Each structure stands twice: as structure tokens, then as C-alpha cells.
Amino acid sequence: MWNRVNQQISESLNMPFELSSKQALSSYGSKKLYKISDSSHSFLVKVAPLSALERFECEAENRSKLIRDSDFLIADTVTVGTSTEFCFIVLEWLCLESGNEDWKTCGELLAKLHLRHEQQMFGLDEDNYIHELPQPNQWHKKWETFFAEERVGWQLQLLAEKGVHLVDIDNFIEQLKSMLPHHTSPSLVHGNFWRGNVAFSQGKPVLFSPACYYGDREIDIATAQAFTELPKDFLEGYESVYPLAENYQDRFEVYQLYPVLVQANLFAGKYLTEAAEKIRSLLK
């Protein structure tokens, strides 16, 4: 496989690349992560079974969207490819650091991304993935329809196919629609924005693992606070550029159901319990 990686990097760079060192990094799910280097370049390589090729291709496309439309530091995709047994994505290596975290700038950059309203509908031209789960992005005129059907309804259906029935899906979808704003403007959202997907390099905010689509910007803020609170400086920076509505937190309980359902589909356990509790709370 590594000969194939060498070959594709060389073709992408238009110069020879000969792997001289390979370091295994902490991996997650079915993916294995490596730092590879030659005498003058270093790259991050993600390796997974061949079935993950479409996920890597979607990741590359989503990275391109963020590079085009945001001022975050996003690792360039060098190449995506396959060997006989595996697929891989090769990314620019970014030197990350701790102790120099400018969360205020992170909030400002996310707000600037959300300010760029280029679409009149909610969704995306292509479906993508959140973690290892398919994420449908069919275009909708109404945000409440998109979120209720393409996000919550889809995740509930995935659970139902595993024999887990948390609620009557059709009835719950209709109730969700009545809880959401009808006149929000579509923003390009990261789609999986939380502390684990944010880092810093030379003080500049870096984003990982995008699951982009055009949606209500509040979804990124709600997701960021679903499991781990972000520093106060982050929200101050965001609101200095693009103030949130006074009642934005009223929708957090609805929006945070989505990342909990994603975790429930991936890991079950306590996340199923949390999802059931959130659904009961929303139905009160």
C-alpha cells in the first residue's frame, strides 16, 4: 500500500516523494492514522477499509468548501486513493500546539463563515458523512423540514433499522417542525463543530472532520456545546461579528438531539438513554 501512497503523492506534488519515516498515531473507529515523511515533507495519512473510499472523497470535498469559504486553517488534501485492500487520504501535515489557543478568533472566524449566505435553500448538492454515518442533504426550502427530516428523522430511522424504536418517527418529525424557526437564512455550517474538531497552529484556529451543508448557523453553536462547553471567549468573538438572536438558546435542546442521535447510532449505551431523555423532554 505504501508504494501506492508514495506514487500518488509524487504525482500530486509533481516531484518525487520517497517515504523515509512512518509514525503510527492514535486511531479511531476503523481508521488508522500515520505521519509519514521524506527529507523535506510530512503528511497525515488516514487508512481505512476500501468501503471508506466514498467517506474520504466527501471529506476532501468538504475540506475544499471550508478552504474556499472560511479563514480557518484547513489541511489541504494532497490525494485520495486505493490499494488492493485499503483506501487512504493524504493531508497536509499541520503542527498543532497547546497553550496558545485563541478562542476569540475562532469564534470570529466561524461567524464570518456563517455570514456568507450563498444559497437560498437548505442542504447540499451531494450527500456526505458525519463520522462514519451517511448524512443526507436533499435540498429543502424550509429549514424546519430539512432538519426534522434529513437530520433527526434519518438518525431515528437508522436506529429503527437496528431494532431501536425511541418514538413514533413520523409524528415526532411533525412536532419538531413546529419548534424551529421558519425564516432563518442558510449558512454554510461545519456540521460537526465541537471542541474535538478544533485545534490551533501558531495561534490560528484549525478545523477537522467537516460534515458541511447549508443550514441554520445556530446548529454549529448548539453542537459545540452539546458535550463540552467552549471557552467564553469563543462566543464573545462570534457575537462581536454576527450577533445571535436573543432566544437562540431556546432551540439548543432541539438542535443538540442530532449529535446525541449520531452518537447513539455509533456507540449505543448511554447515548441511547440520553437520546430517549431528550425526546421525552421535547414532547412535554
Side-chain angles (χ1 to χ4, degrees):
M1 185 198 79
W2 293 107
N3 286 336
R4 182 63 177 158
V5 172
N6 278 343
Q7 178 185 355
Q8 288 201 206
I9 292 175
S10 299
E11 291 173 356
S12 296
L13 298 179
N14 289 318
M15 64 178 67
F17 176 84
E18 288 294 334
L19 189 154
S20 59
S21 69
K22 179 178 66 176
Q23 177 185 0
L25 307 174
S26 297
S27 300
Y28 56 96
S30 61
K31 297 176 187 174
K32 305 297 182 185
L33 274 60
Y34 301 89
K35 178 184 180 181
I36 65 171
S37 304
D38 68 0
S39 58
S40 56
H41 300 89
S42 292
F43 301 102
L44 174 66
V45 184
K46 300 182 184 181
V47 180
L50 284 170
S51 58
L53 178 60
E54 185 177 358
R55 296 205 301 271
F56 285 161
E57 291 172 339
C58 285
E59 178 180 346
E61 180 63 27
N62 283 199
R63 286 177 178 276
S64 295
K65 284 182 171 62
L66 289 181
I67 289 171
R68 182 197 68 191
D69 286 343
S70 85
D71 296 319
F72 283 99
L73 188 55
I74 312 290
D76 284 324
T77 303
V78 178
T79 188
V80 178
T82 62
S83 66
T84 54
E85 296 181 74
F86 301 100
C87 63
F88 55 85
I89 181 170
V90 181
L91 303 172
E92 172 190 10
W93 178 262
L94 299 177
C95 293
L96 305 180
E97 59 196 24
S98 59
N100 187 23
E101 300 177 345
D102 187 350
W103 284 100
K104 184 174 186 293
T105 295
C106 182
E108 292 170 352
L109 295 186
L110 185 66
K112 289 177 181 177
L113 170 66
H114 289 167
L115 270 169
R116 297 171 183 173
H117 301 294
E118 298 180 353
Q119 296 290 339
Q120 295 183 345
M121 297 179 68
F122 300 93
L124 201 65
D125 282 337
E126 61 279 337
D127 296 339
N128 53 17
Y129 291 83
I130 183 163
H131 299 294
E132 298 181 0
L133 297 176
Q135 182 172 256
N137 292 314
Q138 181 177 336
W139 291 106
H140 288 271
K141 291 182 179 179
K142 297 180 179 180
W143 164 245
E144 62 270 25
T145 302
F146 176 86
F147 183 78
E149 295 182 4
E150 305 292 323
R151 291 295 175 263
V152 173
W154 172 259
Q155 291 295 323
L156 288 172
Q157 184 60 42
L158 290 180
L159 286 172
E161 291 171 4
K162 299 172 185 176
V164 180
H165 300 275
L166 297 180
V167 69
D168 182 295
I169 297 175
D170 291 337
N171 287 341
F172 187 59
I173 284 175
E174 291 308 310
Q175 291 185 61
L176 275 185
K177 291 177 184 178
S178 67
M179 302 176 190
L180 295 175
H182 301 284
H183 303 294
T184 185
S185 299
S187 296
L188 181 65
V189 298
H190 178 277
N192 193 16
F193 188 87
W194 68 289
R195 193 161 192 154
N197 283 336
V198 181
F200 295 85
S201 179
Q202 298 181 340
K204 188 168 185 178
V206 181
L207 293 186
F208 305 112
S209 303
C212 297
Y213 59 96
Y214 287 90
D216 181 355
R217 64 186 177 120
E218 291 176 1
I219 196 76
D220 274 345
I221 308 297
T223 301
Q225 300 188 42
F227 303 112
T228 306
E229 289 281 339
L230 294 182
K232 184 175 67 173
D233 289 352
F234 164 78
L235 198 56
E236 290 177 353
Y238 186 96
E239 295 215 84
S240 71
V241 174
Y242 195 2
L244 291 159
E246 289 185 3
N247 62 342
Y248 75 96
Q249 290 180 319
D250 294 347
R251 292 176 285 278
F252 273 21
E253 190 172 6
V254 179
Y255 289 159
Q256 289 174 349
L257 177 59
Y258 181 59
V260 171
L261 286 172
V262 169
Q263 296 298 306
N265 265 301
L266 290 170
F267 305 114
K270 66 177 183 179
Y271 296 109
L272 281 175
T273 302
E274 185 175 350
E277 291 173 350
K278 283 186 174 294
I279 289 170
R280 282 196 295 270
S281 176
L282 289 169
L283 290 175
K284 287 181 180 178

